[in-house]
Amino acid sequence: MKLRQPIEPEQKALEINLDESVYGTFAEIGAGQEVARHFFQVGAAAGTIAKTMSAYDKVYSDKIYGVEPTGRYVCESRLYKMLDHEYGLLEDRLGPLKTSTRFFAFADTVSAINYSKTSQGHGWMGMRFQLDPQGHPNDVVLHVKMKDKDNSLQQQAIGILGVNLVYACFYYHHDPEQFITSLVDNLRERIEVDMIRMTGPELDHIDNRLLSLMLVKNGLSKVAMFDAKGHNIHASEYLYKQHVLVVRGSFRPATLVNQDMLKVGYRQFVRETEVDVSKTRLLCEITLDNLRSGGEINEKDFLDRAELLCGMDQVTLISDCEEHHKLIAYFSDYRILNLGLVVGVKILLNTINQKFEEHKDGDLLAAFGELFTKNVKLYIYPSIMDATGELLTSENLPIPEGVKFLYRHLLDNRQLVDIEDFNSKILAIYSKDVLKKIKDQDGSWEKMVPASVARMIKEQSLFGFSGNRVELVNRDISQN
């Protein structure tokens, strides 16, 4: 991607206004009409704006867009109702009259920081737009978190972000990464964009899972996620007031061990007395550090992992939270009822040693307090000691002397628990060994991964697999 100088919002708004083919509506709820204001202030708005509105009163808003079953107005479903309504009016009223026009409907529903500063501002924003007159429209929808500590500054940031989004839809739609980085033009460090979704006839070539990666890689968010169908989703809609279990791993590729961690970890999590199985979410997490383990992030490698996890019907989290406490802090914004992290025992040992080294001359208790809050529990998956072949669990870890008392406290209070009912026969399987066997065309790798994973790797030539497709099909038939 070429380096691009940020463009001022006034210049972007003026360029849109001077494009005679672009015409549309601005509908804004909750933080004034900050986006439309930019287009009015730079001049020549009459050729761009068909209507602006702000249904600030809830009764008026319900009469126009319908009632939200959840009672929430700053939500994804509200945004789509706004886009449906406003774009529909454009087509009905102006479609027959402006046949050479590219229509758009911009909408946002935003809650800025309140007077007492007890709630941080956030909102949903979207565009429905044509790239060709009379063509089918495309949608871009995003979620934003505002970081300014002042209401007026947050409104200002929403105005700039809205201009950036409108401009990107018409000028950067062909380059997803440039599209995403342009959203924070003149806003770096003031907002986070932690979900974006692009759909439509001119955007169907874009893999939305890559958009999630791009958000995190380019620093727009610490976390992004997508579901088993590859659709980008947001934590406020998916995780709010849920019991959440996260399995951390490389999944490069997903092995029998990963499958076992998911199965037995989840089974143990839902057996906890405080966990309501009807309100649980299971996530697989891949960190940026893990994606960079081989150097620069390889998008093909990422998509190979994503393809397998989607094929295993898993929701995937991408994060820039290598340290466990950073991931825990992210989830705290969504009132998670109980949070479980499934980690390998060697990862736990590394974490304990790192915390001890960083804080042995300081406040060690506070350092561990960041990680082990009252509703957080770590589920420890065992491993085999390389030298002796002995089973390694949380109970026999070689913990530094200075942290043993605190570590024992965590075990006794069941904030650290060993996973039970694991498959002891597969503990010697490691993703790095499977990956090497695939690249070396050593067929023994197939016994180290779930059958569905082996099938996907072969059929889609994932992770550098290059076997003879006809021979593989015949082999599968003969085995069945």
Side-chain angles (χ1 to χ4, degrees):
M1 184 185 67
K2 294 180 180 179
L3 291 177
R4 181 188 54 80
Q5 284 297 111
I7 303 173
E8 294 296 320
E10 294 79 11
Q11 182 180 339
K12 289 183 177 182
L14 184 59
E15 283 188 50
I16 294 291
N17 281 354
L18 294 177
D19 187 336
E20 296 180 355
S21 70
V22 174
Y23 199 62
T25 292
F26 291 87
E28 304 180 63
I29 293 178
Q33 290 190 288
E34 296 300 309
V35 181
R37 181 174 62 81
H38 280 85
F39 290 88
F40 281 124
Q41 285 185 335
V42 298
T48 299
I49 300 177
K51 180 185 77 172
T52 69
M53 67 171 298
S54 179
Y56 194 77
D57 182 85
K58 292 181 179 179
V59 175
Y60 268 87
S61 184
D62 287 344
K63 291 294 184 181
I64 297 170
Y65 302 119
V67 177
E68 292 296 328
T70 62
R72 298 163 65 194
Y73 289 82
V74 182
C75 60
E76 184 178 3
S77 61
R78 193 53 156 201
L79 178 67
Y80 274 109
K81 286 177 182 176
M82 295 170 72
L83 292 174
D84 290 343
H85 180 84
E86 300 301 340
Y87 194 84
L89 289 180
L90 276 172
E91 286 188 316
D92 291 344
R93 296 175 180 178
L94 299 178
L97 304 176
K98 292 180 172 288
T99 57
S100 60
T101 297
R102 296 185 290 164
F103 290 122
F104 74 88
F106 171 91
D108 65 43
T109 173
V110 177
S111 173
I113 193 169
N114 59 12
Y115 179 77
S116 57
K117 295 180 171 54
T118 57
S119 64
Q120 186 64 22
H122 77 106
W124 288 88
M125 180 178 291
M127 270 275 286
R128 181 162 295 169
F129 61 103
Q130 292 174 308
L131 288 175
D132 297 301
Q134 302 186 61
H136 291 290
N138 306 278
D139 283 357
V140 177
V141 166
L142 61 85
H143 181 269
V144 58
K145 295 168 70 175
M146 286 93 80
K147 300 168 73 173
D148 290 315
K149 301 303 181 183
D150 176 82
N151 185 283
S152 62
L153 289 176
Q154 288 195 359
Q155 291 188 40
Q156 179 195 66
I158 284 295
I160 296 171
L161 176 61
V163 173
N164 289 344
L165 175 60
V166 175
Y167 189 87
C169 285
F170 288 112
Y171 289 92
Y172 300 139
H173 58 86
H174 60 284
D175 186 337
E177 191 145 20
Q178 185 166 246
F179 189 113
I180 283 172
T181 56
S182 76
L183 294 175
V184 289
D185 280 359
N186 307 290
L187 286 174
R188 184 64 72 172
E189 307 301 329
R190 295 183 63 186
I191 65 166
E192 292 182 15
V193 177
D194 52 5
M195 199 287 289
I196 187 167
R197 184 185 303 123
M198 297 184 179
T199 55
E202 280 94 2
L203 304 179
D204 274 348
H205 65 284
I206 296 172
D207 191 318
N208 275 265
R209 297 172 300 187
L210 270 180
L211 299 182
S212 285
L213 174 62
M214 290 173 185
L215 288 178
V216 181
K217 184 181 75 170
N218 288 291
L220 277 75
S221 176
K222 287 289 185 185
V223 174
M225 56 196 298
F226 52 86
D227 65 18
K229 295 181 179 179
H231 299 154
N232 291 349
I233 54 179
H234 188 256
S236 66
E237 304 288 318
Y238 187 70
L239 301 179
Y240 184 70
K241 289 188 176 180
Q242 299 288 307
H243 304 273
V244 178
L245 183 69
V246 182
V247 179
R248 312 194 83 181
S250 70
F251 307 101
R252 188 181 186 237
T255 67
L256 290 172
V257 170
N258 295 130
Q259 184 185 57
D260 199 46
M261 292 174 78
L262 287 162
K263 182 176 67 174
V264 298
Y266 181 75
R267 185 192 303 154
Q268 190 164 329
F269 181 66
V270 298
R271 284 203 304 257
E272 304 283 358
T273 55
E274 64 271 22
V275 172
D276 180 352
V277 67
S278 68
K279 295 181 179 180
T280 60
R281 303 292 193 189
L282 175 62
L283 310 174
C284 295
E285 183 212 16
I286 306 172
T287 66
L288 277 193
D289 280 1
N290 192 284
L291 288 168
R292 291 193 184 108
S293 60
E296 290 296 312
I297 292 175
N298 184 310
E299 291 183 357
K300 174 64 166 61
D301 171 65
F302 163 73
L303 287 176
D304 286 354
R305 305 191 210 193
E307 196 67 28
L308 290 185
L309 291 172
C310 288
M312 296 170 67
D313 202 29
Q314 300 299 320
V315 176
T316 302
L317 198 73
I318 308 160
S319 85
D320 193 13
C321 303
E322 179 69 12
E323 295 178 311
H324 301 314
H325 74 269
K326 292 181 179 179
L327 183 65
I328 292 166
Y330 174 84
F331 282 124
S332 66
D333 287 344
Y334 303 106
R335 300 186 184 182
I336 301 300
L337 300 176
N338 288 281
L339 175 62
L341 301 181
V342 178
V343 298
V345 67
K346 292 181 180 179
I347 299 297
L348 172 65
L349 181 59
N350 290 340
T351 300
I352 298 293
N353 286 334
Q354 182 182 7
K355 289 286 183 187
F356 179 67
E357 287 300 318
E358 290 176 353
H359 300 279
K360 62 183 177 182
D361 297 325
D363 195 343
L364 191 61
L365 185 62
F368 276 82
E370 292 179 320
L371 179 57
F372 296 99
T373 57
K374 63 180 180 179
N375 69 330
V376 176
K377 186 175 291 189
L378 266 62
Y379 295 84
I380 311 306
Y381 194 85
S383 184
I384 298 294
M385 290 188 183
D386 296 331
T388 65
E390 181 185 354
L391 186 68
L392 188 64
T393 71
S394 68
E395 291 289 348
N396 63 349
L397 274 185
I399 298 298
E401 192 63 37
V403 78
K404 280 186 176 179
F405 179 80
L406 180 56
Y407 183 75
R408 189 70 247 174
H409 172 78
L410 297 172
L411 289 174
D412 292 343
N413 283 272
R414 291 188 55 77
Q415 289 189 278
L416 279 174
V417 295
D418 283 314
I419 284 183
E420 305 161 357
D421 303 326
F422 59 89
N423 185 350
S424 60
K425 298 178 182 179
I426 61 174
L427 294 182
I429 294 176
Y430 296 97
S431 290
K432 62 181 181 180
D433 296 332
V434 177
L435 186 66
K436 185 177 186 304
K437 288 177 181 291
I438 291 173
K439 292 180 177 178
D440 291 345
Q441 300 188 49
D442 179 346
S444 63
W445 67 267
E446 294 185 45
K447 296 179 180 179
M448 304 166 74
V449 302
S452 61
V453 168
R455 191 178 306 113
M456 283 187 281
I457 289 173
K458 292 186 291 184
E459 290 177 351
Q460 301 179 44
S461 297
L462 306 180
F463 300 104
F465 177 80
S466 58
N468 184 295
R469 191 72 55 87
V470 175
E471 289 181 2
L472 289 167
V473 170
N474 289 337
R475 185 194 307 168
D476 288 343
I477 292 173
S478 64
Q479 289 175 348
N480 292 330

